[in-house]
Each structure stands twice: as C-alpha cells, then as structure tokens.
Amino acid sequence: MENKTLQKDNLARRFATQWKQNPLISTALVLVLMVIIQTAVMVAKADPGTSLGLSIFNNWLNILRNNAPVGIIALGMTFVIISGGIDLGVGSTLVAVGAMVMVLIDGAPTGVLTKMGITGVPAYLIGIAGGVLFGAVLGELTGMLIAHGKLPPFIATLGTMKIFRSVTQQLMQHANPSVPKGFLNIANYRIGGFSVLPIFYWLILAAVLYLVSKRTTFGRHVFAIGSNVKTAKLSGINVNKVKRRIYALMGVLVSVAAIIQVSRIGSMDYASAGSGNEMDAIAAVIVGGTSMAGGKGSIVGTVLGMLIIGVMNNLLTLFGVPPFLREAFKGIIVIVAVLLQKKEADA
C-alpha cells in the first residue's frame, strides 16, 4: 500500500511539474474541455431527425476552414513573438497582397495578364508568385525598419498597418478586378464532397514550420534572439539579418492567407478585410504558450491556441452571444494568458 501511495504521489508531482514547465499540456487540456462542452451543446441543440454525427463533423470542418487563413498568419506570428517582436500590420498586408493578386489575375479584357494573352493556370501561377513575392517584400521592408531603423516593432508595424491599407484603398478606389472562376478552385475545390483545401494548406505549413523551428539554424537563431539579443550577437548571430527574414516569412504567410481569402470569396473589401486578424493571430500564439517576452514558444502550441479561439467563437455563436461581445472574450483570454505567463516567470 505504501509503495502504491508513493507511486501516486510521484506521478502527481511529475504531472504538476510538467503542467508548470510545458504549456502545451495545459493548452491541450483546455482544448479538450472546450471540445467536450461544444459537443454537449450541439447534442442538446440538435434538431430531431438530423444526423448528429454528420452535423458535428460539418461543424468542425467549418471551424477549421474558417480559421485556416488566420491560423496560417498565426504561424508567422509565432516566429515574430518568439523573437521578441510583434506585427500589427498583418491585416493591411493581407489587403495589399490580395489587391495585387486580383489585379494580376483579373479576367476582364483590361486585365494586366489578359492583355498580354496570359489566362488560365499560367495567369494563376503568375498571380500567386507575384502575391507571395510582394508579401515577402512588404515583410522585408518592415524588418528593415525594425532591424536597421531601430524602431520598436510596435511602432514600425503600427505605421505599416496604416500605410499599406490606405495606399491600397487609394490605388484601388476606381478598380474593380474580376476573379476568374477557375481561381476559386484553389480554396473551394471539393474533395469527397467537402471543401477542405484551406485546412490542408494550414496543416502542411504548420508541419513545415515546425521542422523549421526545431531543425534549422534559422529556427535556433530566432529563439536565441528572443532569449537575449546581446548574447545572440556575441555568439556570432547576424541579428539584423535574422529579424529581416522573420518579417519576410511573416509577409509570405500573410500572402498565402490573402490568396486563400481571394479564392474563397472571389473579392476583397479593402476597407475591412483582414481587420482583427492581428488580434486573432496574437491571441492564438499567446494562448498556445508562446511568451510575449520572447525566447519561448512552439508551432504546435499556436495550432492548439488557434483551435481554442475557433471553438470559443463557435461556442459563443451557439450560446447566442452578441458579435460585439465576442471580441471582449478574446481580449479576456489574452489578458489571462499573459498574466499566467507572468506568474510562472515570477515563481
């Protein structure tokens, strides 16, 4: 009996230690709890005669598909925050890239590529490549402001947030590009009767960036810079170069999200598209256990954090919470997550 008691005590201590040291455990447990609550609510609200299993499956598909673009942005935000930075301009970058892609693939006779006789798949490939390259350039410019201009990331990205959106609105106010139907298949093509491609893009990028964060020199340098910039410089890391690459990567991932959004909807509202994406991405990263102080975080945690945000939004809809109040819940989650991080750091 004493040995069993000791084993239980040791197991409890190990679990408590892992709970404090590994934020993925607490994040995963919160997600499991929210999934259970959501399933229970859906069962309670299910209409008689409907297939409950199919209803739950479709609900999950909707959650994953709707959150995939922001989830992709959150992957890049993970690297940014681990390095000790922040990016408030992702929504505006998304609008700028979306506008660029739409102008390139415009199927009207006056379209840029159409006038050159380039249509169909070749036009789509050029549009995607041009959008990704444009996003990388915008990210690189932001990185240069931070790395070489020595601007605080908050100020630099606050400035780009205003510049990118306002310039895009000015340039596009008289333009009305049309998105060809074929381009819509990038996000809306059905596999087995279900529209799942945005989910696949998100998960594939998450797997790739997980390996980048864990297995590459770039990934190790990101963590080193976030932990201690001075030590990173003394160890021979080109801090400015790494920072530029981090924000360029952020720009590329925002470009992917922009392409998915244009393909899903077939248009873009330059005034409001992407608004709030920075909040959702930051919330997902913080809830996933990445430290706002830098030097600590994971891609897996961010994916779990994004799922928590997505399930929470869905639960609030099921409970009939007004749309304006849903943003308040996100704010509360971010504040609580940061307070818990601070408590762990002080312990």
Side-chain angles (χ1 to χ4, degrees), residues 203-215:
L203 296 180
I204 290 170
L205 285 171
V208 170
L209 291 173
Y210 172 81
L211 293 176
V212 169
S213 67
K214 296 292 185 181
R215 304 289 178 84

Side-chain angles (χ1 to χ4, degrees), residues 236-295:
I237 296 174
N238 188 334
V239 172
N240 289 341
K241 182 179 180 180
V242 174
K243 284 185 177 181
R244 292 200 316 271
R245 287 183 174 178
I246 291 169
Y247 285 91
L249 173 63
M250 181 81 258
V252 169
L253 292 172
V254 172
S255 299
V256 175
I259 292 165
I260 292 173
Q261 182 157 327
V262 170
S263 177
R264 280 193 65 193
I265 303 173
S267 63
M268 179 164 285
D269 185 342
Y270 309 116
S272 62
S275 295
N277 280 1
E278 61 283 337
M279 174 65 177
D280 289 343
I282 292 170
V285 173
I286 301 306
V287 170
T290 297
S291 173
M292 284 297 293

Side-chain angles (χ1 to χ4, degrees), residues 11 25 28 49 61 74 90 96 146 172 179 192 200 231 237 260 278 286 301 320 338:
L11 183 62
I25 294 177
L61 275 184
V90 293
I146 294 167
M172 298 297 291
V179 178
F200 288 161
T231 302
I237 296 174
I260 292 173
E278 61 283 337
I286 301 306
V338 174

Side-chain angles (χ1 to χ4, degrees), residues 91-166:
S92 297
T93 302
L94 182 142
V95 166
V97 172
M100 166 69 79
V101 172
M102 290 175 65
V103 167
L104 288 175
I105 65 171
D106 186 2
T110 56
V112 174
L113 295 177
T114 304
K115 288 192 294 186
M116 299 170 60
I118 303 174
T119 59
V121 174
Y124 306 158
L125 292 176
I126 293 173
I128 291 170
V132 171
L133 179 61
F134 186 49
V137 170
L138 294 181
E140 182 78 14
L141 290 173
T142 302
M144 289 177 66
L145 290 173
I146 294 167
H148 300 286
K150 305 304 178 185
L151 289 178
F154 180 89
I155 299 299
T157 58
L158 182 63
T160 57
M161 177 179 71
K162 298 296 184 181
I163 294 169
F164 294 163
R165 187 180 295 273
S166 62

Side-chain angles (χ1 to χ4, degrees), residues 34 37-38 41 310-321:
M34 293 186 72
I37 294 173
Q38 176 183 265
V41 172
V311 174
M312 182 197 71
N313 286 335
N314 191 66
L315 278 173
L316 294 175
T317 302
L318 290 174
F319 284 128
V321 176

